[in-house]
Amino acid sequence: MKPATATISQEALRHNIELIKTFAPQQKLLAMIKANAYGQGLLPAAGTLADLVDGFGVARLREALEIQETGYTGKILLVEGFFDREELLKTLSRRFDTVVHCLEQLELLEQVAQEWQQEQQKGFWKRKAKIYFPINVWLKIDTGMHRLGVHPEQVEMFYQRLKACPLVASISFVSHFSRADEPDCGYTEKQIAIFESATEPYPTHERSISASSGILYWKQAHYEWVRPGIIMHGISPHYTPIIDLGFKPVMTLASSLIAVRTHKAGEPVGYGGAWVSDKDTKLGVVAMGYGDGYPRNAPEGTPVLVNGRIVPIVGRVSMDMLTVDLGADSQDKVGDEVIFWGKDLLIEDVAQHIGVISYELITKLTPRVIFEYK
């Protein structure tokens, strides 16, 4: 009998990357493995994909350091850039790529570059050379997400200052779609037009705007780099599953029945008596709760899979366990496996029932969950 366990199929992960290459056959792949590789495990994901992709994208410097310390020597991009001077120095010393999305980052980069030049003139450069490697900078352009990035009219100024900075080896351009999973809304076409207009004066520089939805639905915006994220794990960027496109779910989240109990009509179960059975039945108690990262707000009827059939969650999800209605004629027994999502119960369906997105379900699993890689 196992408690909450996430089984990760490394074969499925590699399969999905190979499939993504058929959607973007001419592009370089920057695999996004931020947020612990979307809850799948940062270092296992990096190890599985290192020979299949052209680089990794992460949100935090710590993630980049952990990957590089495994011996990986390829490209690692900090997609939010450096947060302060210390992070910039580490970015330079480790030769990470970085996004620059605001004036404060640009000014800090210029300040450190000026100090570097002064140290060279004083003869200190040999002692401190390890922190002064010119790096690749990705200038982020706000094309309509209005979250991070420079305004299109600022691109030329930022470009010229980056080009003049001795710590900048090359400049690429990056942006991000905000509604790419809504192909008929008309907004993505506007973002593409803004991005192409802003980067047109720099035809020799690499560009990237397409993440998972962009890869699937906006072939004209693949440019030189694509940035697959959630689709690498066989999960749709919206509620419509993508297994029909050939993707395979990478994670199976499961646990076990730790009790099977007879339950009478008219009796409640769980905190607050929120659910009362309308018939005699059998309840299964499962070793899974919000302490494992399963949502406490999962409503009555949220599906789980027991012995090949869908049964509903009933009562409130507790910290360490939850209950399901097995039915009066159930033959299920203690120790039987309970699947919360995987290839036979798609996470998109579970997420839609709960009223969250799949991203949230997989990234909120806690360290108590056992991870197995196969």
Side-chain angles (χ1 to χ4, degrees):
M1 182 189 304
K2 287 186 178 180
T5 302
T7 302
I8 307 300
S9 170
Q10 294 169 310
E11 181 278 328
L13 183 58
R14 292 178 67 86
H15 165 85
N16 292 339
I17 281 291
E18 294 290 4
L19 182 60
I20 289 166
K21 291 180 179 180
T22 69
F23 283 84
Q26 305 302 319
Q27 283 67 36
K28 298 176 185 177
L29 266 62
L30 190 77
M32 300 303 299
I33 54 175
K34 58 183 181 175
N36 196 31
Y38 289 71
Q40 318 282 308
L42 177 70
L43 297 185
T48 300
L49 298 176
D51 64 325
L52 294 179
V53 300
D54 300 287
F56 293 116
V58 297
R60 301 288 186 267
L61 178 65
R62 177 187 59 78
E63 298 169 321
L65 292 171
E66 289 183 10
I67 296 168
Q68 195 176 72
E69 286 166 5
T70 66
Y72 178 73
T73 59
K75 181 185 294 291
I76 303 175
L77 172 64
L78 302 171
V79 297
E80 294 178 8
F82 45 90
F83 293 171
D84 54 32
R85 179 187 177 86
E86 181 181 357
E87 288 205 351
L88 173 55
L89 294 181
K90 289 182 179 178
T91 299
L92 293 167
S93 68
R94 297 299 188 104
R95 301 188 185 189
F96 297 138
D97 286 23
T98 184
V99 161
V100 166
H101 60 74
C102 64
L103 185 60
E104 290 82 0
Q105 289 178 323
L106 174 61
E107 290 175 342
L108 181 56
L109 183 59
E110 290 173 329
Q111 178 185 340
V112 170
Q114 184 179 19
E115 293 170 358
W116 173 50
Q117 290 179 317
Q118 291 172 349
E119 289 173 349
Q120 284 183 309
Q121 294 170 1
K122 293 177 181 178
F124 295 158
W125 65 275
K126 288 185 179 179
R127 177 167 55 86
K128 297 190 176 183
K130 67 178 183 178
I131 66 169
Y132 296 132
F133 294 121
I135 57 173
N136 302 314
V137 169
W138 297 64
L139 180 59
K140 184 153 194 174
I141 304 171
D142 179 8
T143 57
M145 172 69 87
H146 302 317
R147 190 176 59 181
L148 293 178
V150 306
H151 297 300
E153 61 270 20
Q154 297 177 300
V155 169
E156 174 63 15
M157 180 271 287
F158 270 79
Y159 175 81
Q160 293 299 335
R161 288 173 65 172
L162 287 170
K163 185 178 179 182
C165 181
L167 289 179
V168 176
S170 65
I171 303 169
S172 301
F173 296 100
V174 63
S175 190
H176 195 64
F177 288 136
S178 61
R179 301 179 66 180
D181 57 345
E182 303 174 56
D184 298 323
C185 74
Y187 198 72
T188 300
E189 290 91 339
K190 293 180 181 179
Q191 286 194 259
I192 292 172
I194 291 170
F195 189 62
E196 292 186 347
S197 175
T199 59
E200 184 178 10
Y202 321 101
T204 62
H205 294 264
E206 295 184 327
R207 300 163 295 169
S208 178
I209 195 173
S210 289
S212 288
S213 292
I215 292 168
L216 295 180
Y217 308 120
W218 300 96
K219 183 177 180 179
Q220 70 270 40
H222 285 176
Y223 305 120
E224 290 74 35
W225 285 86
V226 293
R227 312 189 306 271
I230 199 162
I231 60 173
M232 292 191 301
H233 308 291
I235 301 173
S236 173
H238 43 73
Y239 286 131
T240 304
I242 55 175
I243 59 169
D244 289 344
L245 298 177
F247 288 91
K248 297 180 180 180
V250 170
M251 176 190 286
T252 298
L253 181 67
S255 188
S256 303
L257 290 174
I258 59 173
V260 176
R261 301 168 54 84
T262 57
H263 191 79
K264 293 183 179 181
E267 290 294 325
V269 65
Y271 287 113
W275 178 81
V276 177
S277 180
D278 60 1
K279 62 184 183 305
D280 290 347
T281 190
K282 291 181 182 177
L283 298 183
V285 182
V286 190
M288 175 73 77
Y290 60 81
D292 302 292
Y294 196 83
R296 183 179 181 275
N297 65 332
E300 173 189 338
T302 298
V304 302
L305 194 67
V306 179
N307 290 319
R309 73 187 194 285
I310 297 293
V311 299
I313 290 176
V314 294
R316 292 179 182 168
V317 174
S318 304
M319 181 180 292
D320 307 309
M321 64 193 85
L322 54 77
T323 53
V324 296
D325 186 356
L326 297 172
D329 299 325
S330 164
Q331 300 299 310
D332 308 301
K333 59 186 182 301
V334 170
D336 285 353
E337 184 179 55
V338 180
I339 295 175
F340 291 89
W341 59 72
K343 65 181 180 66
D344 297 318
L345 177 58
L346 298 180
I347 192 172
E348 293 91 342
D349 296 334
V350 177
Q352 187 167 24
H353 197 101
I354 296 175
V356 298
I357 57 175
S358 300
Y359 299 78
E360 186 173 344
L361 290 180
I362 57 174
T363 60
K364 281 192 171 181
L365 297 181
T366 71
R368 190 168 74 176
V369 176
I370 299 167
F371 275 73
E372 297 181 346
Y373 297 87
K374 297 182 178 180

